[in-house]
Amino acid sequence: MTSPPAQASTSVGIVTPQTAQFDTPIALRSGAVIPRYQLVYETYGELNAARSNAVLICHALSGNHHVAGRYTEHDKYPGWWDNMVGPGKPIDTNRFFVIGVNNLGGCHGSTGPSSINPETGKPWGSRFPLVTVDDWVETQARLANRLGIEQFAAVVGGSLGGMQALQWSITYPDRLRHCLVIAAAPKLTAQNIAFNDVARQAILSDPEFHGGDYYAYGVTPKRGLRLARMLGHITYLSDDVMGTKFGRILRSGTFQFGYDVEFEIESYLRYQGDKFAASFDANTYLLMTKALDYFDPTHHYESGHLSEALAPAKANFLVIAFTSDWRFAPERSREIVKALLDNERNVTYAEVKSTHGHDAFLMVDPYYHEVVRTYMGNIAL
Amino acid sequence: MNASVRPDFEAIGAWVRPGAKVLDLGCGDGSLLRYLRESRNAFGYGVEIADEKIAACVRNGVNAIQSDLESGLSTFASHSFDYVILSQTLQAMRHTEEIIREMLRVGREAIVSFPNFGHLNHRLQVLAGHMPVSHDLPYQWYDTPNIHLCTLKDFEHFCATHGVEILERLVLHRGRRVRLLPNLLGSLAVYRLQARR
């Protein structure tokens, strides 16, 4: 291996999203049919002549297609997984052709509740059907067909993205050689569903929600979405990291005996909530949390055994969990590992010591990145 | 990895049936699994706790499960492996009885290797009033990870009293087989075990 030149950029640079239009109707798990739709995606690196180096990155709850790089030179923030994807990075775009896609139902360009329903000329709103992880895999497979990719070198995802990667290995066992399931779970616990429902209730009970058709009223249920995000955010962090970062620090140094922002943590959460509410669609948040709740590969099996559900999978797996992730704890990843062991699949499981809670999968950690880098580096193209 | 680096690899490899399914406990950088894959076409998994060793296993292209052996083998189904291997790790285990029991639950057979505390060199050092330091036990008393050292006699007594049947034994010193006075002249013991029926 040669070391990269001193000034080698590790960014994919300036990127431009693309749009794929699909005119073949898609029948969803719910029974609803979407007659035509579009998916927004980004690609980084080059597809090789054998078309064997494609990697699909599946996004998490509030994610989108913008995985790496920047839209303009002065863009303040890069894509959401810029520390993982790029030239010389763990998922090396010098080697792989990486695809990020905004899921169906999203609010960043793919057809979703805020898109115009061609049949009514108005936003879909409450009429947009619920979508599931299976549905997403189907739309992603169609996008792969469009791009001429028969088989992915790897399908990769964290959290809800990890569930999509896992579902890929079951639905299309021959269409991926490797499956990276990071900070995920085989299905949500009751506690997880409970958190999601509180988040949804915050949105549903916002007076500006208007049954999901707020677009027509020129308003958005910002207060509900903000609350939903604040709650979500708490569950993605750990008590440790909140304590270290914010502790009980008071903004003004003394108690004010009121309900305005006093503690730094309150200020932080409200800021995060506001930022999110300004950029994300409430209907999409509802729909994505339902997709999380519904995900359960054992649903079709009487036994309810994950081992049975994963029996069709052929991919080689890398499963990664983070010690302080209490939303999708390491025990949940070990359930996936156990089911893969029962099926004698190739699987490596890394349990990364981290204080960052669920969000750790988005952060730089030398061990975590080394495992992904080494694993990806070993993939034959 | 050259098998001669770890003489017990060769012994273990000779016992492993071609195409067998193996579980290597405390698998380190995965070189035994790699050796067994290359020499015996074996398929398997390693269990390891250390971050840098998991990364090394990934580099070696072997399956590794990051987990603490002391917390048991609950991820692994009963009788799901042909061989469960514990190579030069027994002496560092806190729960010796439990790990042997778990090995014989998960595997049809178990293979265990450990440094023989009864080796002449060790005995002489103890006679001279010191805790032994040798090629096989390369630690000082205060920095050793080894907490449960035993001799061949001790281990065989353990097996007799814990429902463990010894199927085969190989005693080595400096990579050569020791037949004469093994508990005195052997520095490394390798056993093939199964649960007594």
Side-chain angles (χ1 to χ4, degrees), chain A residues 318 334 337-338 340-353 367 370-371 374-375 378, chain B residues 21 43 45 49-52 54-55 58-66 74-77 80-81:
Chain A
L318 176 62
R334 278 193 232 117
V337 170
K338 184 172 188 333
L340 293 168
L341 287 168
D342 288 344
N343 284 296
E344 302 191 350
R345 305 275 38 106
N346 282 311
V347 53
T348 282
Y349 170 62
E351 200 167 284
V352 180
K353 287 170 213 70
Y367 169 53
E370 191 194 349
V371 167
T374 310
Y375 189 91
N378 265 4
Chain B
K21 186 180 170 193
F43 168 77
Y45 304 88
I49 191 167
D51 292 356
E52 68 279 5
I54 292 285
V58 173
R59 200 165 301 117
N60 268 322
V62 302
N63 297 311
I65 310 296
Q66 189 160 25
S74 58
T75 314
F76 303 98
S80 56
F81 287 87

Side-chain angles (χ1 to χ4, degrees), chain A residues 249-307:
Chain A
I249 299 167
L250 291 162
R251 300 192 80 193
S252 69
T254 61
F255 291 167
Q256 300 297 311
F257 300 101
Y259 298 112
D260 286 338
V261 170
E262 288 191 64
F263 291 94
E264 281 295 350
I265 182 65
E266 295 174 319
S267 161
Y268 173 77
L269 280 180
R270 291 181 197 195
Y271 170 76
Q272 290 294 338
D274 286 337
K275 200 171 86 173
F276 188 72
S279 64
F280 210 81
D281 179 67
N283 276 322
T284 288
Y285 202 76
L286 291 174
L287 172 151
M288 298 264 174
T289 58
K290 278 307 263 192
L292 264 168
D293 292 358
Y294 287 141
F295 180 70
D296 179 5
T298 70
H299 186 73
H300 301 296
Y301 297 90
E302 258 178 48
S303 69
H305 287 160
L306 187 61
S307 306

Side-chain angles (χ1 to χ4, degrees), chain B residues 9 22 30-32 40 57-58 61 70 72-73 75 95 100 102 105 114 126 128 148 151 181 194 196:
Chain B
F9 281 17
V22 299
S31 36
L32 174 59
R40 311 302 289 165
C57 285
V58 173
E70 301 284 6
L73 303 178
T75 314
H95 302 108
I100 297 279
E102 278 286 271
R105 173 185 68 82
F114 58 87
V126 171
H148 283 148
T151 67
L181 301 173
Q194 73 176 22
R196 197 180 298 136

Side-chain angles (χ1 to χ4, degrees), chain A residues 14-310:
Chain A
I14 305 295
V15 296
T16 312
Q18 300 169 71
T19 305
Q21 189 68 43
F22 296 86
D23 295 324
T24 318
I26 183 157
L28 305 175
R29 267 281 295 280
S30 67
V33 175
I34 297 188
R36 25 183 200 286
Y37 59 95
Q38 65 177 34
L39 294 181
V40 170
Y41 66 98
E42 284 175 20
T43 69
Y44 325 103
E46 300 287 329
L47 186 61
N48 64 10
R51 296 172 181 271
S52 64
N53 68 334
V55 171
L56 176 68
I57 309 277
C58 303
H59 72 69
L61 178 61
S62 59
N64 58 36
H65 51 282
H66 186 37
V67 175
R70 288 175 155 82
Y71 288 143
T72 62
E73 215 168 300
H74 303 291
D75 204 344
K76 201 168 160 199
Y77 298 107
W80 57 271
W81 224 5
D82 193 72
N83 62 36
M84 184 66 87
V85 176
K89 288 186 178 165
I91 299 175
D92 189 347
T93 51
N94 288 329
R95 209 164 165 251
F96 294 107
F97 175 65
V98 178
I99 302 166
V101 56
N102 184 211
N103 285 349
L104 185 69
C107 54
H108 293 97
S110 291
T111 298
S114 56
S115 317
I116 299 297
N117 179 350
E119 271 150 41
T120 60
K122 289 188 222 153
W124 279 87
S126 60
R127 297 170 70 148
F128 197 85
L130 288 183
V131 290
T132 63
V133 168
D134 306 55
D135 297 329
W136 286 334
V137 168
E138 197 51 45
T139 57
Q140 290 160 358
R142 289 186 181 189
L143 179 64
N145 296 346
R146 184 72 61 87
L147 298 174
I149 296 154
E150 243 169 75
Q151 186 188 62
F152 284 106
V155 177
V156 183
S159 193
L160 178 57
M163 292 169 165
Q164 292 163 61
L166 193 62
Q167 189 62 49
W168 258 96
S169 74
I170 300 169
T171 312
Y172 290 111
D174 294 312
R175 294 195 71 173
L176 68 163
R177 297 198 298 283
H178 296 269
C179 184
L180 278 71
V181 182
I182 303 170
K187 57 176 176 256
L188 294 196
T189 59
Q191 188 193 46
N192 268 311
I193 295 172
F195 280 130
N196 283 347
D197 197 47
V198 174
R200 282 192 296 267
Q201 290 305 321
I203 294 169
L204 293 168
S205 59
D206 186 314
E208 298 196 320
F209 182 64
H210 296 291
D213 293 317
Y214 45 84
Y215 313 98
Y217 296 81
V219 292
T220 54
K222 264 192 190 166
R223 280 168 290 178
L225 187 55
R226 173 176 182 251
L227 276 180
R229 185 58 177 179
M230 285 170 75
L231 172 77
H233 213 84
I234 296 167
T235 72
Y236 305 145
L237 303 178
S238 66
D239 194 17
D240 269 1
V241 84
M242 272 200 200
T244 315
K245 221 168 150 183
F246 306 104
R248 293 180 48 87
I249 299 167
L250 291 162
R251 300 192 80 193
S252 69
T254 61
F255 291 167
Q256 300 297 311
F257 300 101
Y259 298 112
D260 286 338
V261 170
E262 288 191 64
F263 291 94
E264 281 295 350
I265 182 65
E266 295 174 319
S267 161
Y268 173 77
L269 280 180
R270 291 181 197 195
Y271 170 76
Q272 290 294 338
D274 286 337
K275 200 171 86 173
F276 188 72
S279 64
F280 210 81
D281 179 67
N283 276 322
T284 288
Y285 202 76
L286 291 174
L287 172 151
M288 298 264 174
T289 58
K290 278 307 263 192
L292 264 168
D293 292 358
Y294 287 141
F295 180 70
D296 179 5
T298 70
H299 186 73
H300 301 296
Y301 297 90
E302 258 178 48
S303 69
H305 287 160
L306 187 61
S307 306
E308 198 184 341
L310 281 176

